[in-house]
Amino acid sequence: MSKRQNILNKIADIIEINIDELAKLESEDQGKPFWQSKQIEIPRCVQNFRHFANSLQYQSDDSIIEPETGLINYIVRKPVGVIGIITPWNLPLYLLTFKLAPAIAFGNTVVAKPSELTSVTAHRLCSIFNDAGLPNGVINMVFGFGETVGEAIVKHPSIKSISFTGSTMTGGRIAQQAAPFFKRLSLEMGGKNAALIFDDINLETELMQIAKSVYFNSGQICLSTSRILVHENIYKEFVDKFIQISKNFIIGDPFDNDTKIGPMISKDHLAKVLKYIELAGKTAKITYLEPKLIQESNKNGYFCGIAIITDVKLDSPLMMEEIFGPVVCIVPFNNDQEVIRMANSTSYGLSATIWTNSLDRMLKISPELDAGTVWGNCWLMRNLNMPFGGHKNSGLGQESTKDSREFYTKKKTICIALKNSN
Amino acid sequence: MSKVILDKKNELFEKRMAIKIENFIDGQFLPDPVDPQIGQIESYNPSNGEINALLPNSNVNDVNLAANAALNAFEKY
């Protein structure tokens, strides 16, 4: 086990040495700002490997000794076997390494398929595996489309578990295809996350964080806030100030230091987001902030402006469907029961944020939200020791030090009878 | 590899050749997938719409190779 630990730590070290190169590759491939790749995402890849490498030595299992019946019971764990890992294009290397690290930490081997839209850093990671001395065949990567490569992985009889992050629709297809094989499934899927804004918050200090939860990564995160539910007492003030602060989120080239958010991932995805914006123009009120600072060299990029939607029906597709772009709906509410109902009204249940200065309200409302993670006065804070995973159509299973161990190992109970010493 | 070209405004900038992505199986980069005739997949740089990488259009045969490599490696890992 300590040999595995050393290799994982070596992988982490080599990623760390090559942060600049990997960040550049990630931003060229995905469009996210270079500062984001360099300061946030690639360092988290390092952390993923170190975390799972070093938590191995602190893990233990239950044992029960029954003196009257003369039995010793204990748990033995083994790796599952070959794991199929399928990852998306929004946080490419971060989400891939978050699955690879525990899979191989616990002794499994892997066949991985990164998204065909963003395979560059995954490919680069493979030479890092060789440099770190990871034995041949422990991690294998096959590049291509989901319909061919992904489906082949899901249906392969020797690939016993599938860990997937992506859309709810694809997750559903995977669940169907894997069902006859009784494969283990970890599915991390979409969200339509609500931010609940109560009238006791200090807008001046909190607004930037709330806006970041909408716009970070151009809204292309399963955890992005896409519905802001604001107490009617401060609704108008909130909308005005939110529109103002949104102007700070400069859309531009990933390598421009002023850029806060980048383009959409692809032509297709841009078209999809623009369709929702068009719908907003017809059925609601929309404030659209054009991207102003696009250079000549970016004229063929997939840039989308910011869309802030109000006067929208609660059951509109804009309020129910995952858009995955810099698009947000802001609606008022009157009381706690109403906002809880509104927050829980979609088929998703990934995360939510509550913004209030009242401890009582925070403690009372947070458990009522049907979401795997509820953040209070913050967003995207992630401790790898806490379970992460969506409710309803947002996910199947959790990930964390303990939960990932459950998924990436199989356990058995050994029960041994002691001979009578009389 | 990079290629230096001049644009309309006579400004020099470096244009990188598309990265060739290869399947990584059993510790090796394979220059071609099992069925290369199926072609390549183009991956674009979203900030300018240019081709950034070329991927093999892999299929079940490549997955089978990978799964076998993973199975063999599992015995010893």
Side-chain angles (χ1 to χ4, degrees):
Chain A
M1 209 194 315
S2 82
K3 217 173 171 180
R4 256 185 244 148
Q5 196 175 349
N6 288 338
I7 292 173
L8 264 83
N9 276 319
K10 192 85 206 283
I11 293 170
D13 290 343
I14 300 175
I15 294 174
E16 193 168 50
I17 290 167
N18 291 291
I19 281 183
D20 275 30
E21 181 203 349
L22 287 163
K24 178 173 176 283
L25 291 174
E26 192 82 299
S27 287
E28 284 168 347
D29 203 19
Q30 202 283 343
K32 65 183 74 228
F34 177 68
W35 60 259
Q36 182 181 319
S37 298
K38 177 171 170 159
Q39 290 168 29
I40 301 175
E41 284 181 48
I42 310 299
R44 285 206 188 181
C45 300
V46 175
Q47 188 194 15
N48 287 340
F49 280 102
R50 284 195 181 136
H51 178 83
F52 283 103
N54 301 316
S55 59
L56 288 174
Q57 62 207 342
Y58 303 108
Q59 283 156 359
S60 61
D61 280 303
D62 290 337
S63 63
I64 299 176
I65 305 200
E66 301 173 55
E68 285 97 20
T69 40
L71 293 173
I72 297 179
N73 304 277
Y74 61 98
I75 292 173
V76 163
R77 285 189 191 258
K78 295 273 186 193
V80 174
V82 181
I83 313 279
I85 290 180
I86 299 171
T87 49
W89 49 259
N90 58 340
L91 307 166
L93 198 64
Y94 170 58
L95 291 176
L96 176 63
T97 54
F98 186 66
K99 295 183 195 296
L100 290 176
I104 65 172
F106 293 114
N108 303 288
T109 57
V110 170
V111 177
K113 186 204 97 65
S115 167
E116 68 280 6
L117 296 173
T118 52
S119 289
V120 174
T121 46
H123 183 247
R124 178 68 182 91
L125 187 62
C126 294
S127 24
I128 291 179
F129 293 145
N130 281 350
D131 293 343
L134 186 69
N136 291 343
V138 172
I139 295 181
N140 304 275
M141 287 206 208
V142 183
F143 298 96
F145 291 118
E147 301 80 58
T148 43
V149 178
E151 187 166 317
I153 288 173
V154 173
K155 288 178 168 170
H156 197 288
S158 303
I159 298 177
K160 299 296 189 190
S161 296
I162 309 293
S163 182
F164 165 83
T165 297
S167 72
T168 294
M169 195 166 77
T170 305
R173 218 164 27 234
I174 289 176
Q176 275 193 322
Q177 290 166 358
F181 301 93
F182 304 104
K183 296 190 183 194
R184 288 190 190 189
L185 289 179
S186 172
L187 305 176
E188 206 269 282
M189 301 178 288
K192 189 66 181 176
N193 311 294
L196 284 63
I197 318 289
F198 291 90
D199 62 358
D200 61 348
I201 67 158
N202 182 341
L203 274 183
E204 305 312 316
T205 57
E206 304 302 276
L207 206 49
M208 179 51 85
Q209 272 238 80
I210 297 166
K212 277 183 185 169
S213 76
V214 173
Y215 299 126
F216 184 72
N217 212 47
S218 308
Q220 298 173 121
I221 306 189
C222 48
L223 300 161
S224 297
T225 295
S226 50
R227 298 178 290 149
I228 305 181
L229 314 176
V230 185
H231 194 281
E232 60 191 17
N233 289 350
I234 56 165
Y235 179 74
K236 186 166 187 314
E237 183 196 356
F238 182 91
V239 172
D240 289 342
K241 290 190 166 149
F242 189 83
I243 291 172
Q244 286 317 307
I245 210 169
S246 297
K247 295 175 181 170
N248 290 314
F249 287 83
I250 293 167
I251 300 166
D253 186 275
F255 295 94
D256 187 331
N257 286 334
D258 293 330
T259 294
K260 294 286 180 291
I261 59 181
M264 297 295 94
I265 185 62
S266 68
K267 217 181 254 183
D268 285 347
H269 187 61
L270 173 62
K272 177 190 162 198
V273 176
L274 288 175
K275 258 191 124 188
Y276 280 106
I277 292 178
E278 192 186 318
L279 179 68
K282 292 190 183 136
T283 61
K285 180 161 175 240
I286 179 170
T287 301
Y288 187 68
L289 305 177
E290 291 267 359
K292 287 208 179 74
L293 299 175
I294 304 301
Q295 313 275 14
E296 176 69 17
S297 51
N298 298 115
K299 65 177 191 289
N300 294 324
Y302 315 129
F303 292 92
C304 182
I306 283 170
I308 299 158
I309 301 167
T310 52
D311 294 358
V312 60
K313 287 209 174 99
L314 296 183
D315 62 353
S316 161
L318 298 162
M319 282 285 283
M320 290 284 155
E321 292 172 17
E322 189 180 44
I323 298 172
F324 225 59
V327 179
V328 65
C329 293
I330 311 182
V331 297
F333 70 87
N334 170 272
N335 61 70
D336 290 4
Q337 285 317 305
E338 185 190 6
V339 74
I340 290 169
R341 211 169 37 242
M342 286 163 73
N344 292 339
S345 63
T346 74
S347 62
Y348 294 104
L350 189 57
S351 67
T353 56
I354 303 178
W355 304 85
T356 178
N357 275 336
S358 160
L359 184 61
D360 277 357
R361 178 184 283 137
M362 185 69 82
L363 292 173
K364 196 183 91 178
I365 294 188
S366 42
E368 300 307 310
L369 299 183
D370 212 347
T373 300
V374 178
W375 280 296
N377 295 332
C378 63
W379 178 71
L380 215 61
M381 296 292 135
R382 178 115 171 76
N383 185 312
L384 298 182
N385 297 304
M386 298 299 288
F388 174 83
H391 295 184
K392 299 197 285 191
N393 291 354
S394 290
L396 200 65
Q398 271 88 29
E399 293 167 320
S400 73
T401 317
K402 267 199 293 217
D403 296 301
S404 299
R405 185 179 184 224
E406 289 304 320
F407 185 75
Y408 291 110
T409 59
K410 52 187 185 192
K411 55 190 177 189
K412 55 187 99 177
T413 299
I414 314 284
C415 172
I416 301 174
L418 302 174
K419 282 200 189 335
N420 222 320
S421 55
N422 287 359
Chain B
M1 262 210 294
S2 63
K3 195 168 97 177
V4 175
I5 68 172
L6 295 164
D7 82 340
K8 286 186 285 202
K9 292 182 199 162
N10 251 354
E11 277 172 9
L12 276 170
F13 63 90
E14 264 187 41
K15 200 167 173 151
R16 191 180 27 75
M17 300 289 275
I19 296 173
K20 183 173 184 248
I21 305 271
E22 298 173 338
N23 288 336
F24 179 70
I25 297 178
D26 208 21
Q28 314 261 21
F29 288 99
L30 305 180
D32 293 303
V34 172
D35 301 310
Q37 70 279 7
I38 304 178
Q40 291 180 306
I41 302 171
E42 291 174 348
S43 174
Y44 301 94
N45 179 331
S47 72
N48 58 26
E50 286 169 15
I51 294 179
N52 187 51
L54 291 165
L55 285 64
N57 190 356
S58 306
N59 64 19
V60 59
N61 293 324
D62 306 287
V63 172
N64 287 341
L65 266 184
N68 286 335
L71 273 168
N72 284 335
F74 180 68
E75 301 305 316
K76 310 167 218 154
Y77 182 48

